[in-house]
Amino acid sequence: MLQASASGTSARKAGRTRGHQGGRFVVYALVGLIGLALALAPFLFPDVRSQEVAARICVFIVLVASYDLLIGYTGIVSFAHTMFFGMGAYGTAIALKSMGPGFEAILIGGGAGIIAALVLALLIGLLSLRVKAIFFAMVTLAAASVMMVLASQLSDFTGGEDGITYSIPRLFSPAFELLTDAEGKALRLFGVPLNGKIALYYFVFITALVLFLALLRIVASPLGSVLQAIRENEMRAEAIGYRVVFYRTAIFCIAAGVAACAGILRAVWLKYTGPEVVLSFDIMIDILLMVVIGGMGTMLGAVIGVVLMTLAQYYLKDLMAVGAEATASLPIVPDLLNPERWLLWLGLCFILLVYFFPAGIAGTMMGKGGHK
Amino acid sequence: MTDTNASFPARVTAGFDRFGGVLWLPVLLAIVALLLIGQPSTWATLTIAGLAMGMMIFLMASGLSLIFGLMDVLNFGHSAFVTAGAFIGATVLAWLGFWVTGSNPALNVMGLLIAITVATVFGALAGWFFERVVIRPVYQDHLRQILITVGALIVAEELVLLVWGGAPIPVPRPAALTGSFVLGGVSVEIYRIFAFLLGLAVYIAMYLVLNRTRLGLLIRAGVENREMVEALGFRIDRLFILVFMAGSALAAMGGAMWAGYQGLITAAIGSEMMILVFIVVIIGGLGSIQGSLLGAILVGLMANYVAFLMPKMALASNMLLMMTILLWRPYGLLPAVKR
Amino acid sequence: MAPVLRLEDVHTDIGQYQILHGVSLDVPEGGVHVILGRNGAGKTTTLRTIMGLWKARRGAILFRGENISRLPTPDIAQRGIAFVPENMGIFGGLTVEENMRLATKDGRFDAERLARIHDIFPAIGQFWNKPAHALSGGQKQMLAVSRAIVERRELILIDEPTKGLAPSIIRNMIAAFREIAEETTILLVEQNFHFAKALGQTVAVIDDGGIVHRGAMAELATDVTLQSRFLSLSLEAH
């Protein structure tokens, strides 16, 4: 196991480190720019759809970065990440529905979701992180599917396929005015009314930022180097005395907890929670694509991957529709350009990327990550 | 396995194994189910349905298990072969038209066999392509392997949607295999018997190849220790492509059978079955044909009994089954490699 | 006489660890030749590199003059090189007979050779149809060696055959290896100096991924200064 997978990396590694200063700078600049754009999003892109895109990007950066902690830094492939995401979202949603739109509902429901995610992660981790990576991937896939079925079948509790719609605290509603002008209307800044919608966006943005910085802190900590050691050579790490299963389970729990937090944000922003938006396998695929496209094991790659994929999701489909219309007279081509088939192209790009740039965008530019 | 200084639990397990051990689990499950269900005729119908379903899942799972056992390759795209098999089987059945729907039982069965054969051959060819193009470049690299096969799964599913569209497609079922007969107060669906027998035949064929031929000897050895097989002078990659093709062909065969059983199929048919297939492979023990059969029958029975007793818990029950078995035996019930 | 096997400046990496840096070695035709060294010195890596299980990053491995360092493992095996790995590589789920049959060229046994193997290792015949996982450690080692000699080979690579074996079995092994060495060449990797001394004609001492001493075994066996210089490293001093 060890021999074949590990051989040949060192030769490549040596050549990588130099000559990536420029690339590193580009990545930092890009991430900084994205951060700035997100921070000012309500003023830069005030229309409803752009707001939606920006908030989704914030939530997914947290979700994908926490997944990167697993796959990129620890080499664990889990298909249960949306399950934890969903637990946070459903916890919040159910509490908001039953307790009414208050912050205590978000706190209690979200907290319950996080705790449930942690407990489940601990169980799965202890049960199956001992065995091979592939085995673990299968177990998590099975667990996630069961959770999905449960969510759609326990409809008294979760609203089934239809999901749950609920209200959120008044502070976050568009009707709430943060600051009022002389006429008693919401004060406008750069022509944008300072209402609850802005408050909600900044609630999502700042929480996401804090979580992302926390993840960055984790990978820069001594724990991060332990993870590195484990990933590079499991047997050696075990021999040195790191309790591999313990660390992996710990990381799996941390990632699950952060994913649940992202779920809370998603639930509060959308005012709706259902299997399609928080649990479905499509989201898991999205996360996987985002982390690989951005660059595994870089954290910053998560930011780039999420932005790229989300923009593609929202805007590439429009482009494909235009293309399909323009080529309507040709055979097959319009079918291939049908916006519904966009995953086909994404899948192909993804395969090529994994072949030729396994380090992803950020990893390739910074000359790191994308191990093996 | 049975060291003289084995611990007490190990010795108990050894004694348990001597009397057939885990092979009795399906029987145990059936007895418990009989007690819970109460009516023997209902129980018998459910048992037959469970066995038939188990055999179809076995077709899909055995290839995956062998592929993994031999090369440590877990093909997350395996379900694409199931889906392709289902759609190709359905299309061929539709083409054959009168053969299938007519009243001549010989033509009926022939039609179904042709459909299954076409699906299986397609599975083998697609498997060859898949192994060459998708998997070969990422041998030994689990992470990229999982990613690439997931990517391939996305593409394959999209291609199915492109060709057959998103709407559910009805599958014409051969007239002779439709309906049921009553035996001792138990109504038995003919198609279930057919599915069971086909699965059994495949199992026996696989068993004979694995245990009576040099090719089978090589495969069994390769599952245990790939490196040593190479050190003895055998090209394991050539062996692997054969196994991969066979596994994909079986998945497609299982898909075609399942399509006929369901009567109505969508592009999601493969991914829906895949969860059960993964559970089967995990509880059976990776790389083991016997394990796959045992796991498949357990899962098939469990799914049918629980669907009757507590309909909402059907899938969750199999998940619980998997968790329990993993706690008891982390490597599955009948792992191929003797530790 | 030209050596059967020649290693020229072989470098092997495992991950980012350089295990071998510049191993050069000649293995003469016939007899038993030993590579001695402590744990982690690079003995196993040397054998695995010869067998192609790990690829040399630099250097050449010449087998009867042909560079095999880039060949895949099966091709190396087909040139008549057999390998008995440290963990013996027994297929536990297969019977003893199946283990042996797998090592034949075409699935057929040469009756004469088989009789001789049964003669050298009676346990093989005794457990012929038993699953190999039921064998004891010593019997597994015998099976591993038998498998290597079921066909005539040009060269047999054996990795620490005495590891964990009882002294009486080790004595058996010495006799067996002497007999085997009459028709072929054995390259043995060992930590057990007494076993090596009883068998070896030439010896190479490896430490920290390089050869630190090369010569006839007789020379090392009698020269106490050499022994303390190279073998005090951490070889068992019994």
Side-chain angles (χ1 to χ4, degrees):
Chain A
M1 213 173 82
L2 153 164
Q3 61 274 21
S5 57
S7 62
T9 47
S10 70
R12 253 180 291 145
K13 216 166 249 175
R16 244 192 232 161
T17 38
R18 253 174 292 114
H20 285 288
Q21 292 301 334
R24 194 174 284 265
F25 177 75
V26 172
V27 170
Y28 288 145
L30 209 58
V31 171
L33 211 64
I34 292 169
L36 201 66
L38 288 175
L40 301 175
F43 304 103
L44 291 175
F45 320 103
D47 66 295
V48 178
R49 195 170 176 216
S50 303
Q51 290 283 292
E52 183 56 45
V53 173
R56 195 184 127 100
I57 287 176
C58 290
V59 172
F60 269 75
I61 284 176
V62 174
L63 190 59
V64 171
S66 63
Y67 192 67
D68 193 20
L69 188 64
L70 279 185
I71 196 169
Y73 286 85
T74 327
I76 298 173
V77 181
S78 158
F79 286 106
H81 216 58
T82 45
M83 175 172 86
F84 300 125
F85 183 58
M87 289 172 105
Y90 269 102
T92 314
I94 292 169
L96 280 170
K97 181 88 181 171
S98 54
M99 296 171 58
F103 279 101
E104 69 281 0
I106 298 180
L107 217 60
I108 293 173
I114 294 173
I115 289 168
L118 289 177
V119 170
L120 195 61
L122 188 69
L123 272 178
I124 296 179
L126 290 179
L127 201 65
S128 41
L129 273 176
R130 282 174 294 168
V131 287
K132 288 180 174 169
I134 276 178
F135 210 72
F136 184 74
M138 290 164 84
V139 172
T140 52
L141 182 60
S145 318
V146 169
M147 195 56 73
M148 218 155 84
V149 171
L150 280 183
S152 65
Q153 286 184 345
L154 300 177
S155 45
D156 298 343
F157 211 47
T158 62
E161 291 290 343
D162 298 330
I164 317 171
T165 321
Y166 41 84
S167 322
I168 53 173
R170 220 183 85 74
L171 172 63
F172 292 157
S173 91
F176 184 85
E177 289 137 13
L178 294 176
L179 291 167
T180 47
D181 58 15
E183 292 161 43
K185 288 176 122 186
L187 194 70
R188 285 175 175 263
L189 189 63
F190 305 115
V192 180
L194 296 180
N195 59 19
K197 192 79 185 167
I198 300 269
L200 176 57
Y201 178 78
Y202 281 105
F203 168 71
V204 170
F205 173 76
I206 290 170
T207 317
L209 185 67
V210 169
L211 287 169
F212 182 70
L213 291 177
L215 285 170
L216 276 181
R217 183 74 194 83
I218 289 176
V219 297
S221 71
L223 182 62
S225 36
V226 173
L227 295 179
Q228 179 103 8
I230 293 175
R231 197 189 62 190
E232 303 266 298
N233 190 336
E234 193 171 318
M235 280 188 223
R236 211 164 277 253
E238 189 91 68
I240 296 168
Y242 294 136
R243 303 260 315 281
V244 172
V245 174
F246 169 79
Y247 279 108
R248 294 179 131 188
T249 307
I251 285 299
F252 189 55
C253 289
I254 292 175
V258 176
C261 291
I264 300 174
L265 294 182
R266 189 83 182 131
V268 174
W269 172 265
L270 278 183
K271 304 188 209 60
Y272 163 77
T273 293
E276 278 305 304
V277 291
V278 291
L279 276 179
S280 80
F281 196 64
D282 293 350
I283 298 179
M284 193 59 241
I285 299 268
D286 282 353
I287 297 175
L288 207 58
L289 293 174
M290 287 168 178
V291 77
V292 173
I293 289 172
M296 289 179 282
T298 61
M299 280 294 155
L300 298 183
V303 179
I304 297 175
V306 169
V307 171
L308 216 67
M309 269 281 290
T310 311
L311 292 183
Q313 251 157 347
Y314 276 86
Y315 299 107
L316 185 78
K317 283 186 190 173
D318 299 354
L319 208 67
M320 282 177 72
V322 174
E325 244 169 72
T327 55
S329 54
L330 301 170
I332 312 173
V333 182
D335 279 338
L336 287 173
L337 287 179
N338 184 334
E340 302 231 313
R341 292 290 81 75
W342 85 293
L343 261 180
L344 174 69
W345 299 104
L346 200 66
L348 283 173
C349 291
F350 177 72
I351 293 177
L352 295 176
L353 196 76
V354 176
Y355 276 148
F356 299 111
F357 300 99
I361 295 172
T364 305
M365 286 167 84
M366 295 164 71
K368 72 167 190 178
H371 67 287
K372 286 179 271 176
Chain B
M1 231 168 50
T2 52
D3 293 340
T4 42
N5 56 355
S7 60
F8 177 70
R11 256 181 290 157
V12 170
T13 316
F16 176 69
D17 284 343
R18 201 164 308 134
F19 295 104
V22 293
L23 297 179
W24 290 100
L25 281 179
V27 179
L28 194 71
L29 180 64
I31 293 171
V32 172
L34 179 59
L35 295 177
L36 288 175
I37 293 166
Q39 302 153 285
S41 64
T42 312
W43 172 82
T45 306
L46 289 173
T47 306
I48 291 169
L51 289 175
M53 181 175 169
M55 278 306 191
M56 286 185 267
I57 298 175
F58 165 73
L59 290 178
M60 305 173 203
S62 54
L64 188 73
S65 188
L66 258 194
I67 289 167
F68 180 84
L70 193 60
M71 271 328 245
D72 258 13
V73 166
L74 183 62
N75 180 10
F76 275 92
H78 197 70
S79 69
F81 298 111
V82 175
T83 311
F87 275 88
I88 288 175
T91 309
V92 173
L93 282 175
W95 276 342
L96 291 174
F98 176 72
W99 277 43
V100 175
T101 50
S103 55
N104 183 340
L107 276 184
N108 285 173
V109 174
M110 190 90 104
L112 184 60
L113 287 180
I114 290 174
I116 291 172
T117 310
V118 173
T120 309
V121 169
F122 175 84
L125 294 177
W128 177 82
F129 177 81
F130 203 83
E131 202 273 347
R132 274 294 144 113
V133 176
V134 178
I135 300 213
R136 178 147 303 197
V138 288
Y139 272 170
Q140 321 274 352
D141 186 342
H142 285 168
L143 186 56
R144 283 172 73 196
Q145 211 176 73
I146 293 174
L147 297 176
I148 290 236
T149 53
V150 167
L153 175 63
I154 297 172
V155 172
E157 275 185 354
E158 289 293 309
L159 286 176
V160 168
L161 284 170
L162 192 68
V163 176
W164 282 282
I169 288 182
V171 185
R173 192 189 278 192
L177 294 174
T178 314
S180 50
F181 59 90
V182 177
L183 189 75
V186 179
S187 130
V188 181
E189 262 191 56
I190 300 170
Y191 194 84
R192 286 177 179 163
I193 299 293
F194 177 77
F196 181 80
L197 290 178
L198 186 79
L200 195 65
V202 169
Y203 174 73
I204 291 172
M206 284 173 90
Y207 184 85
L208 289 177
V209 168
L210 282 174
N211 288 287
R212 297 276 186 278
T213 67
R214 188 161 169 80
L215 179 71
L217 183 60
L218 272 170
I219 293 173
R220 280 186 295 142
V223 167
E224 275 198 53
N225 189 339
R226 174 170 71 231
E227 202 169 68
M228 197 60 217
V229 171
E230 295 212 292
L232 288 172
F234 299 100
R235 293 291 297 263
I236 204 133
D237 49 347
R238 289 184 193 156
L239 196 63
F240 180 61
I241 193 162
L242 281 180
V243 171
F244 197 94
M245 287 171 70
S248 309
L250 286 175
M253 181 192 268
M257 287 298 295
W258 188 248
Y261 187 57
Q262 293 294 83
L264 197 67
I265 55 171
T266 68
I269 184 171
S271 11
E272 283 164 14
M273 289 310 287
M274 218 47 204
I275 305 306
L276 289 182
V277 168
F278 278 149
I279 292 179
V280 163
V281 170
I282 292 171
I283 67 180
L286 290 161
S288 150
I289 292 300
Q290 282 94 329
S292 295
L293 183 67
L294 179 65
I297 287 182
L298 276 175
V299 164
L301 288 175
M302 190 73 142
N304 279 277
Y305 292 145
V306 179
F308 176 79
L309 291 167
M310 287 179 285
K312 291 193 167 180
M313 292 299 289
L315 188 56
S317 67
N318 270 315
M319 185 69 197
L320 284 176
L321 180 73
M322 180 181 87
M323 292 285 189
T324 320
I325 287 176
L326 276 182
L327 276 174
W328 177 36
R329 294 197 166 176
Y331 293 94
L333 292 173
L334 290 171
V337 181
K338 299 277 187 281
R339 278 159 219 283
Chain C
M1 191 165 42
V4 179
L5 185 77
R6 159 172 278 175
L7 271 60
E8 286 173 359
D9 193 33
V10 170
H11 289 65
T12 304
D13 301 343
I14 302 172
Q16 60 271 69
Y17 305 98
Q18 268 208 12
I19 306 294
L20 300 184
H21 12 88
V23 169
S24 298
L25 186 69
D26 277 359
V27 179
E29 182 92 53
V32 181
H33 308 276
V34 184
I35 301 178
L36 279 171
R38 62 185 170 87
N39 265 332
K43 305 186 303 283
T44 297
T45 309
T46 308
L47 286 198
R48 291 181 62 91
T49 307
I50 297 170
M51 207 58 214
L53 293 166
W54 287 334
K55 293 287 175 232
R57 175 168 54 82
R58 229 174 84 190
I61 301 169
L62 302 172
F63 176 69
R64 297 205 182 290
E66 178 198 11
N67 189 356
I68 57 169
S69 67
R70 296 274 156 253
L71 291 181
T73 300
D75 294 9
I76 294 171
Q78 279 164 11
R79 279 164 174 67
I81 303 180
F83 178 48
V84 180
E86 199 174 355
N87 62 10
M88 301 175 280
I90 297 298
F91 304 110
L94 274 51
T95 64
V96 170
E97 188 260 351
E98 287 173 324
N99 267 281
M100 294 284 284
R101 189 179 292 280
L102 211 51
T104 59
K105 273 207 177 70
D106 51 3
R108 267 185 286 277
F109 290 112
D110 177 337
E112 203 178 308
R113 291 190 76 85
L114 201 58
R116 241 184 74 213
I117 291 170
H118 285 184
D119 205 34
I120 303 174
F121 299 119
I124 298 301
Q126 204 180 323
F127 290 96
W128 193 240
N129 285 314
K130 294 273 185 308
H133 69 80
L135 298 180
S136 72
Q139 289 162 344
K140 277 184 185 154
Q141 191 59 264
M142 293 176 193
L143 174 56
V145 175
S146 305
R147 209 168 48 178
I149 57 174
V150 71
E151 296 278 342
R152 211 196 93 74
R153 318 277 184 192
E154 304 289 319
L155 174 66
I156 303 179
L157 311 173
I158 308 181
D159 197 349
E160 292 209 41
T162 63
K163 202 177 181 184
L165 295 191
S168 63
I169 300 179
I170 295 183
R171 277 193 294 278
N172 270 347
M173 282 282 176
I174 293 177
F177 283 11
R178 284 210 177 110
E179 190 171 342
I180 296 165
E182 281 168 18
E183 66 159 21
T184 184
T185 313
I186 297 179
L187 177 60
L188 200 68
V189 144
E190 258 307 336
Q191 277 199 66
N192 180 335
F193 182 53
H194 287 263
F195 179 70
K197 199 168 64 176
L199 280 169
Q201 280 150 30
T202 71
V203 64
V205 180
I206 188 168
D207 191 42
D208 205 16
I211 302 287
V212 291
H213 171 79
R214 248 180 312 224
M217 182 59 91
E219 183 195 351
L220 186 66
T222 51
D223 191 331
V224 184
T225 28
L226 270 183
Q227 277 180 33
S228 65
R229 218 172 106 205
F230 297 119
L231 305 179
S232 65
L233 298 167
S234 88
L235 300 177
E236 305 99 298
H238 53 260

